[in-house]
Structures are given as C-alpha cells and as structure tokens.
Amino acid sequence: YEIRLSLVGSEMCIRDSGCSVEEKAQEAQEDFSNIEQVTKSIDVDCPEHIILGIPDNYGEPVFPICKEGYLSVLDPKTKIPRFVMHDVSASEAFNYVERLPEYSFSIDNTVTEVEQAQATDYRYSGLDRGHLMPWGDTDTLHLALESNLYINVAPMSASFNRGIWLTLENSIRSYVRDTGNLVNVITGSISSSATIGDGVEVPSGFYKIIYDERIHLMSAYLIYQDEDLSCLLYTSPSPRD
C-alpha cells in the first residue's frame, strides 16, 4: 500500500483497481444513521485532548477515560473504545520508542475487568490487538505503555492491522515530520455484530479524522477491515483555494 496523506483538499481512494468515494461515504452515513440515539452527555477531565470538540450525544452508554497521552471513550458493553483522541507532535513523530517483547498489553486498573477486553479474549481468535492511538505516536516509554492498555485497542485482522492501517499511521507521522506541525487525531470503530472471547466486539472498520490546527486543514479516512479498501471521505479546502 502507498498512502500519501493529503491535507490540501484533494480526494483520494486507495485500492488495487480503484473505488468509489461516494459509494463508501453513503455506506458510512448509513452505518451511523442506524445507531439508535440515546442521550448521553460525555464529561471529560482532560480538555488538552479535545481540540475538535466531543459529541454531546452518543449512541451507546459510554464513559471517557483520560490518560496522559490520549482520551479513550470506552463502550463497556462491547469492551472496546468507540473512539480515541490524541495529538501527534514532531517529537513523537521523530522519536520512536523501541517495542520489546516484554512490553505486553494490559488492562486499565481504573476500569473493571468486565468492562474491558483481556488477553484471554484474543487467545485463539486469530486477530491482532490493534491500536487506536498507535504505539508509534509516542516519544516516552510511559506513553508507549499507555497505548498498550486494552481501553485503546480493538480486534483487527493481521493483514489489516499490519497493512493499510499501519500505512495510514506511518503516513500521519511522515506528514508531521515533513511539516513540523502538531496534528490532532480522532480514531474510532464502526460497530458490528461479530465478537470474540467474552463478547468483545470485532468492528467492521475504523475511521481517522486528522486535523492540522496550525493551518486549519482536516482529512477523514474510513477503512473497512474486510475490503482491503481506504477512502479519503473528506478534506478541508486548501488555503490556496
């Protein structure tokens, strides 16, 4: 895969033989419109992670968990985050924390075990524990280990997690290294009925919203796990337009 992160208003769709941005955008709208809206105010204690704002209402009873490196909005019913918000700075893009085998995934002690996934849920599933806030977007071991909490991961196929998803993560860091600009990232999961282990949801896909606050440019990507497909659904206009 080759993804050129574009924040200058061009449309892009990545697939071996092309795809329809309009078609996937319509599917995304249908995915969200099918969510039964339940009034649920989300109050957070880490405003430093919320540059773009946060929904006043959300489709499921969820609760936010503030960490030093990100905000996770966890759905205790499905045991995965509905979305995660974090920043990527030049320091984080340039300074990779080596990932050693002993740095395993772990539960978050601020959440009960029945409200989050555990290692046993992934055992024999054949799926990766995919990061919403990537390990690679950190510049200290403390922040990197925070990314390995189960409140920041969701089941992903190996080909997806290590293929197009990783390519998109790398492209964001490359953009930050090239520009020196801090970007705000929202990463979320698309609901499905599939589960592993003790009721841990396997999302049908994931999205990323990337915002360069300094020059006020934004992109949004939607990627489905089973289609080997990435569509850039939106970019804000370039200042030159």
Side-chain angles (χ1 to χ4, degrees):
Y1 305 103
E2 180 180 353
I3 295 179
R4 178 179 57 84
L5 183 63
S6 173
L7 296 179
V8 293
S10 62
E11 289 188 344
M12 179 180 66
C13 199
I14 307 298
R15 199 182 194 184
D16 291 341
S17 58
C19 64
S20 167
V21 172
E22 292 78 10
E23 178 182 347
K24 301 312 296 182
Q26 179 62 35
E27 289 184 15
Q29 291 173 355
E30 292 174 357
D31 284 341
F32 285 109
S33 65
N34 289 332
I35 296 175
E36 180 182 356
Q37 290 301 312
V38 178
T39 300
K40 176 69 175 180
S41 178
I42 302 177
D43 298 320
V44 298
D45 297 321
C46 45
E48 66 274 14
H49 296 314
I50 308 171
I51 303 300
L52 300 178
I54 197 166
D56 291 329
N57 301 300
Y58 206 76
E60 298 288 346
V62 296
F63 57 88
I65 305 168
C66 289
K67 294 299 176 183
E68 184 176 339
Y70 59 88
L71 164 68
S72 173
V73 177
L74 182 70
D75 181 349
K77 181 180 178 181
T78 62
K79 302 184 180 183
I80 63 170
R82 291 272 61 107
F83 61 89
V84 172
M85 309 174 84
H86 78 288
D87 299 331
V88 186
S89 67
S91 174
E92 290 163 335
F94 275 105
N95 297 297
Y96 179 75
V97 178
E98 185 178 4
R99 193 172 176 183
L100 302 177
E102 58 264 33
Y103 299 152
S104 59
F105 291 88
S106 59
I107 62 172
D108 180 4
N109 292 327
T110 67
V111 183
T112 65
E113 292 188 5
V114 298
E115 295 174 319
Q116 61 184 311
Q118 302 182 55
T120 53
D121 293 310
Y122 285 85
R123 192 170 298 158
Y124 309 122
S125 70
L127 297 177
D128 281 3
R129 289 165 283 196
H131 292 82
L132 275 72
M133 194 282 280
W135 172 288
D137 286 359
T138 65
D139 58 359
T140 68
L141 180 58
H142 168 72
L143 293 177
L145 292 176
E146 263 195 351
S147 77
N148 268 5
L149 295 175
Y150 280 105
I151 62 168
N152 179 52
V153 301
M156 296 182 185
S157 70
S159 60
F160 175 88
N161 183 39
R162 307 173 200 184
I164 196 167
W165 191 245
L166 177 61
T167 301
L168 178 56
E169 293 173 342
N170 287 337
S171 297
I172 294 171
R173 287 188 288 270
S174 178
Y175 173 84
V176 173
R177 287 193 295 268
D178 290 344
T179 65
N181 296 346
L182 180 141
V183 298
N184 314 117
V185 183
I186 302 174
T187 306
S189 55
I190 306 299
S191 297
S192 82
S193 59
T195 62
I196 59 170
D198 188 17
V200 178
E201 182 185 290
V202 181
S204 60
F206 296 86
Y207 64 85
K208 278 188 183 288
I209 302 169
I210 307 134
Y211 178 58
D212 184 330
E213 184 181 9
R214 189 179 73 82
I215 55 178
H216 304 295
L217 293 180
M218 178 183 294
S219 289
Y221 294 80
L222 173 64
I223 312 179
Y224 287 93
Q225 290 216 61
D226 62 350
E227 295 187 35
D228 197 21
L229 172 68
S230 169
C231 284
L232 176 59
L233 299 180
Y234 171 81
T235 57
S236 57
S238 166
R240 297 187 299 271
D241 295 340

